[in-house]
Amino acid sequence: MAVKKNSNPAENYSRYIKTFWKVFGIGFLCIVLFFLLASWGVFGAMPTFDQLENPNSNVATEIISSDGQTIGKFYLDNRTPVKYADLPKHLVDALVATEDERFYDHSGIDGRGTLRAVLSLGSSGGASTITQQLAKNLFHGEGSKNLLMRIVQKGKEWIIATRLERQYTKEEIIAMYLNTVDFVNNAVGIRSASKIYFNKEPKDLTIAEAAVFVGMLKNPYYLNPKTFPKASMNRRNTVLYQMVKNGFLTEEKKETLAAKPIELRYSPESHKEGMATYFREYLREFMKKWVKENLKEDGSEYDIYTDGLKIYTTIDSRMQMYAEEAVDAHLANLQEEFFIQQKKNTNAPFINISDAETKRILDRAMRNSERWRIMKAKEFTEDQIIASFSKKAKMTVFTWRGERDTLMTPLDSIRYYKHFLQSGLMSMEPQTGHVKAWVGGINYKHFQYDHVAQGARQVGSTFKPFVYATAIEQLHYSPCDSILDSAFSMPKGKYGIDADWHPQNSNGQFRGMVTLKQALAYSINTVSAKLIDRVGPKAVVDMTKKLGVSSKIPEQPAIALGAVEITVSDMVAAYSTFANQGMYVKPTVITKIEDKNGVVLYQTTPETHEVVNKDIAYAVVKLLEGVTETGSGARLKWGGAGGTGYNRMTGYPYKIINPIAGKTGTTQNQSDGWFVGMVPNLATGIWVGNEDRSAHFKSLIYGQGATMALPIWGIYMRKIYDDDNMVFKVSEKPFERPANLSIKVDCWKPPVKDTTAVDSLDIGDEFGL
């Protein structure tokens, strides 16, 4: 007979309780051990105290204008930190309401949220606090797809979060978090995102705009307003609902905001786009040398892409914008005329050159191209590379109406790009040497050669003031002294020339007796030739060197007519000397450089020296004023009916009636057009021409400096004068007259103004020699 087992419910219950506590204890000890091992770095290195204090976040170097605007950055991650004080309250409210409602109540880990997530197996949402998300962003990035590794990462996040909470205030944690979020489209951190998506600083974000960014945190790519506007709008409205739920927003306000579409002001940032691209590239090259000469305390070099330097520049953001707009407006207009004139040219855009010369130009362009470099690196033969340039390929090309996708051979694309008129513009304050605007070309993405500092081109008649200045200094001439405009010859052997020299005026005519002021206004070649004959080429070369011109200038008489190659930068600095009462100031683009903590690492010291005395400098200024009173620059002041070619005088009439000292210049075959213009506190030089000198306009009407370059100056200055909000106030006053002036500058004027040079579109300006 079987014996029945004794079953005591109390004993069974006691056994279950013991088992539960045993499992619970072991589990608890395992969890404690897990966190201990994680904190000791067994599962991977944990951040040290110093790393928590100074997390490595690849901070971009900022380029800051003289009026306080960020005009560019150098970066690996486009990140520029902001402080909590720079964040609008509604952005913080939206963040807390949506991402971490109990943010101010926990110490890095939200117990209630974690329990809810565990019990629902994540179906009711995650439990990561803002602090945990910051820990992830700073120290390990995206979570692993491996479940075991993800658990380890989560544990490390908890530990780092609690340490961060001990290390920083809640406000600092919020600022740090928003500074580390990648909002896609090259926008890392809330400041970059604000600038790229809405073109404003974070403090200026509206409630709706702030809600857009908070909404993106869930999935930055699929919720970004540029690519997925509808999804972004829906998520924004969810954030607005959360703000109502947490008492940060009224229902009425939410309804109003939710009904509005997202209004983007998308302004992408890259090294090849945005404002002052050519200047930024010049600055990058400068910084490459600077970091080698200015080491950190530990002897290592600064990294301009990650160390968060602040480069304070002399560039004025509004003047830079107006300079770029002026170049774009005029050259887009003038380029139309160039294409029209090239339609019947079978060797466009080249004029009057041989097939061999054309082949040489195209071959050089092929060998300098990116296509050639890449194929050479892949070990293609030279014949294979050359053959590839004749095969049609899909490509995106530059046009003044925007980029265009097309199909053409790479060789045809080279010819196409050779058509484009290029430009260089630099604007500088003569008294300080501070460069206010720098436009090195028409589009940095497609044309990366800088025509301000890199490219020296023939300057034509803009060189003549240096000859006149030498004559005034050495021969004690005045602008009112007379000289005969007549045929002139210099015999072989004089000043080392190897043949007789017979300079001609551009119109083949002579004016007879003229003052020096008239001679420069009408750009009379024979007068310039006579002056250099009297002072000697060496004296003129010495003068240009003192004026800061770095080009090698031959001691030949022909330099009097501008057969000299000089950069825009050097020309502006040289002319500025006359506006600065004879004192040369070397152009400077940086005022100071700071590290990310605001410690000044570098400050610029001006380089100056006297070239001529105040009286001579003022006399040259008065000579240059004649150019804009009666010469080729007079169209800057006087309106009129216009005439042939005036449809390409973009922005005319300019009606700038204050005193202007300036000079146009045109070189042989109209390959280069120049204008350098000054008011008392601003000198601006402009060059326009094609990349190759054999590509140019056929006639002076469109190819002279007064048509190619001067309109850019007029548009630029008109924009500046019309802006009442300029930080840098550009003078409209006369140039300062020295006390006890010893040189006669007030010449007798005829009762009727001579407008010949204006009506004939600068026929008085020389065109080649």
Side-chain angles (χ1 to χ4, degrees):
M1 184 176 174
V3 179
K4 190 177 181 180
K5 272 189 175 181
N6 183 25
S7 179
N8 188 334
E11 282 185 21
N12 290 339
Y13 180 74
S14 177
R15 189 164 61 251
Y16 293 148
I17 291 296
K18 287 178 182 178
T19 302
F20 169 79
W21 282 112
K22 188 181 293 183
V23 171
F24 177 83
I26 293 172
F28 180 77
L29 288 174
C30 287
I31 291 172
V32 170
L33 181 61
F34 168 77
F35 280 106
L36 283 173
L37 292 174
S39 65
W40 293 337
V42 172
F43 303 125
M46 293 289 286
T48 63
F49 176 82
D50 287 338
Q51 288 173 322
L52 287 172
E53 189 73 26
N54 299 289
N56 180 15
S57 54
N58 287 348
V59 179
T61 287
E62 279 190 275
I63 304 167
I64 302 169
S65 68
S66 60
D67 53 335
Q69 300 298 310
T70 298
I71 59 174
K73 299 173 187 176
F74 300 132
Y75 57 83
L76 294 179
D77 295 332
N78 186 10
R79 183 201 321 272
T80 305
V82 294
K83 296 179 180 178
Y84 182 82
D86 298 320
L87 301 174
K89 182 177 183 298
H90 47 258
L91 173 62
V92 176
D93 291 343
L95 175 65
V96 171
T98 307
E99 293 295 312
D100 193 351
E101 292 175 318
R102 288 175 290 279
F103 174 71
Y104 294 105
D105 300 323
H106 61 66
S107 298
I109 300 171
D110 181 3
R112 286 170 55 187
T114 301
L115 183 61
R116 184 201 70 238
V118 170
L119 293 177
S120 66
L121 298 178
S123 62
S124 62
S128 287
T129 63
I130 291 173
T131 317
Q132 285 176 258
Q133 293 179 53
L134 172 61
K136 181 180 72 172
N137 291 348
L138 286 178
F139 298 107
H140 68 71
E142 286 301 314
S144 173
K145 297 190 184 311
N146 182 288
L147 179 61
L148 185 60
M149 287 301 300
R150 184 69 191 105
I151 292 172
V152 170
Q153 286 179 341
K154 203 68 179 176
K156 291 169 70 176
E157 276 179 26
W158 286 4
I159 296 168
I160 296 169
T162 56
R163 291 180 180 178
L164 287 171
E165 288 276 351
R166 291 198 298 267
Q167 197 81 14
Y168 298 100
T169 65
K170 290 288 187 179
E171 290 75 16
E172 288 172 330
I173 287 170
I174 283 179
M176 289 172 68
Y177 173 63
L178 289 173
N179 284 330
T180 61
V181 177
D182 186 345
F183 290 97
V184 304
N185 288 316
N186 214 15
V188 181
I190 190 62
R191 188 172 183 217
S192 292
S194 298
K195 293 288 284 185
I196 288 174
Y197 288 103
F198 297 108
N199 197 24
K200 58 176 65 175
E201 292 292 328
K203 62 184 175 62
D204 299 320
L205 291 172
T206 64
I207 295 174
E209 290 165 348
V212 169
F213 287 130
V214 172
M216 287 176 69
L217 298 174
K218 184 176 182 181
N219 191 317
Y221 178 74
Y222 287 108
L223 294 173
N224 87 80
K226 178 69 173 66
T227 311
F228 301 100
K230 187 174 181 180
S232 180
M233 182 174 171
N234 290 338
R235 180 61 182 168
R236 177 202 67 181
N237 293 346
T238 299
V239 174
L240 295 175
Y241 168 78
Q242 286 295 120
M243 293 180 73
V244 172
K245 177 185 172 185
N246 286 271
F248 295 127
L249 196 65
T250 65
E251 181 66 32
E252 294 75 20
K253 184 69 172 176
K254 186 211 80 169
E255 291 298 328
T256 300
L257 296 175
K260 294 180 179 179
I262 298 173
E263 296 181 3
L264 289 182
R265 292 181 61 196
Y266 189 65
S267 307
E269 292 182 357
S270 75
H271 298 307
K272 293 184 178 181
E273 296 176 307
M275 180 181 286
T277 46
Y278 292 90
F279 170 72
R280 285 189 272 135
E281 186 57 31
Y282 171 84
L283 203 58
R284 187 204 307 272
E285 293 301 316
F286 172 88
M287 291 301 296
K288 285 180 181 179
K289 298 176 184 177
W290 184 87
V291 297
K292 295 182 183 301
E293 298 168 357
N294 298 267
L295 302 177
K296 296 180 182 179
E297 290 183 359
D298 62 5
S300 63
E301 292 182 8
Y302 286 97
D303 188 325
I304 65 170
Y305 302 103
T306 62
D307 280 340
L309 302 177
K310 292 186 184 296
I311 306 172
Y312 291 87
T313 72
T314 60
I315 297 292
D316 182 291
S317 68
R318 297 177 83 88
M319 294 173 74
Q320 179 69 30
M321 176 178 68
Y322 293 147
E324 293 178 4
E325 288 175 353
V327 169
D328 290 356
H330 180 54
L331 291 192
N333 181 22
L334 194 60
Q335 189 68 52
E336 285 184 6
E337 184 66 35
F338 191 86
F339 277 124
I340 289 170
Q341 293 190 18
Q342 293 295 328
K343 281 183 178 179
K344 295 181 180 180
N345 181 4
T346 56
N347 194 29
F350 311 115
I351 297 176
N352 297 329
I353 64 171
S354 65
D355 290 343
E357 178 65 10
T358 302
K359 185 178 183 304
R360 186 187 65 80
I361 291 171
L362 297 177
D363 187 67
R364 182 178 61 197
M366 282 194 293
R367 293 173 186 276
N368 289 334
S369 70
E370 186 69 3
R371 171 183 285 269
W372 188 286
R373 186 191 66 77
I374 292 172
M375 293 185 72
K376 194 73 174 175
K378 292 181 178 179
E379 299 183 346
F380 283 89
T381 67
E382 190 166 298
D383 288 342
Q384 288 175 318
I385 298 174
I386 292 173
S388 76
F389 276 83
S390 297
K391 296 177 181 177
K392 286 190 175 183
K394 290 181 179 180
M395 60 182 70
T396 301
V397 297
F398 169 81
T399 78
W400 276 111
R401 296 180 180 178
E403 290 184 338
R404 189 182 73 189
D405 293 331
T406 188
L407 185 70
M408 66 169 68
T409 70
L411 191 59
D412 284 342
S413 75
I414 290 174
R415 273 191 183 269
Y416 171 72
Y417 279 128
K418 294 289 186 183
H419 281 74
F420 280 93
L421 294 163
Q422 300 294 327
S423 183
L425 177 154
M426 192 180 96
S427 205
M428 179 179 121
E429 184 182 13
Q431 292 74 24
T432 62
H434 288 182
V435 175
K436 294 296 179 182
W438 178 307
V439 185
I442 60 174
N443 184 288
Y444 184 76
K445 183 177 179 181
H446 294 276
F447 307 96
Q448 296 182 10
Y449 191 78
D450 185 354
H451 293 283
V452 170
Q454 279 182 299
R457 295 289 293 239
Q458 281 197 15
V459 296
S461 285
T462 52
F463 189 84
K464 289 177 180 176
F466 308 152
V467 179
Y468 281 66
T470 308
I472 292 172
E473 181 185 51
Q474 296 207 353
L475 305 178
H476 308 293
Y477 286 169
S478 84
C480 303
D481 286 340
S482 296
I483 190 168
L484 184 63
D485 172 19
S486 61
F488 173 78
S489 295
M490 185 178 290
K492 175 182 176 180
K494 190 171 187 180
Y495 298 122
I497 61 175
D498 56 10
D500 292 348
W501 184 44
H502 309 285
Q504 302 294 316
N505 291 332
S506 62
N507 59 3
Q509 300 175 5
F510 304 108
R511 291 175 180 263
M513 197 63 71
V514 293
T515 64
L516 289 185
K517 187 171 185 178
Q518 290 172 324
L520 187 63
Y522 303 131
S523 204
I524 300 174
N525 286 342
T526 58
V527 171
S528 295
K530 289 179 179 181
L531 291 178
I532 201 168
D533 182 37
R534 297 176 188 183
V535 300
K538 184 179 186 305
V540 175
V541 172
D542 290 344
M543 173 65 75
T544 59
K545 291 301 180 186
K546 287 194 293 182
L547 288 167
V549 174
S550 57
S551 303
K552 183 174 176 57
I553 301 175
E555 293 181 7
Q556 296 288 325
I559 65 175
L561 308 187
V564 176
E565 294 188 348
I566 303 176
T567 64
V568 171
S569 176
D570 279 0
M571 286 297 287
V572 173
Y575 269 65
S576 293
T577 302
F578 303 123
N580 191 34
Q581 301 185 327
M583 290 294 295
Y584 170 83
V585 184
K586 186 177 181 179
T588 185
V589 297
I590 296 174
T591 55
K592 65 178 178 179
I593 299 174
E594 293 179 350
D595 68 11
K596 65 182 179 183
N597 298 314
V599 177
V600 176
L601 306 174
Y602 171 83
Q603 283 186 304
T604 304
T605 303
E607 296 181 33
T608 68
H609 61 260
E610 186 178 57
V611 178
V612 294
N613 64 43
K614 293 181 180 181
D615 290 4
I616 294 172
Y618 186 70
V620 175
V621 166
K622 298 306 285 185
L623 284 170
L624 292 169
E625 284 185 359
V627 176
T628 63
E629 291 168 355
T630 61
S632 58
R635 68 200 63 186
L636 288 169
K637 295 189 172 188
W638 322 118
T644 303
Y646 269 79
N647 61 318
R648 302 304 181 187
M649 288 289 297
T650 318
Y652 177 85
Y654 313 103
K655 296 182 180 179
I656 303 172
I657 60 174
N658 49 284
I660 304 166
K663 186 71 187 79
T664 55
T666 312
T667 63
Q668 190 167 19
N669 297 326
Q670 302 79 244
S671 294
D672 305 273
W674 286 81
F675 183 69
V676 183
M678 300 187 294
V679 294
N681 67 341
L682 191 68
T684 304
I686 300 156
W687 166 85
V688 173
N690 291 79
E691 181 181 306
D692 292 276
R693 292 181 56 80
S694 54
H696 53 77
F697 281 106
K698 295 178 181 179
S699 71
L700 271 172
I701 290 177
Y702 298 104
Q704 61 182 298
T707 306
M708 290 213 290
L710 179 143
I712 295 174
W713 195 92
I715 299 167
Y716 171 57
M717 293 298 288
R718 187 71 271 156
K719 285 176 176 286
I720 290 173
Y721 283 142
D722 289 345
D723 186 347
D724 295 330
N725 298 316
M726 290 291 299
V727 174
F728 181 79
K729 300 298 181 182
V730 178
S731 175
E732 297 183 70
K733 296 179 180 179
F735 288 85
E736 183 181 349
R737 186 185 183 103
N740 305 313
L741 180 64
S742 62
I743 300 174
K744 183 180 179 182
V745 296
D746 299 316
C747 310
W748 175 82
K749 296 179 180 178
V752 179
K753 180 173 70 73
D754 183 349
T755 60
T756 304
V758 181
D759 294 337
S760 64
L761 265 169
D762 196 22
I763 293 304
D765 201 0
E766 98 302 331
F767 64 91
L769 306 169

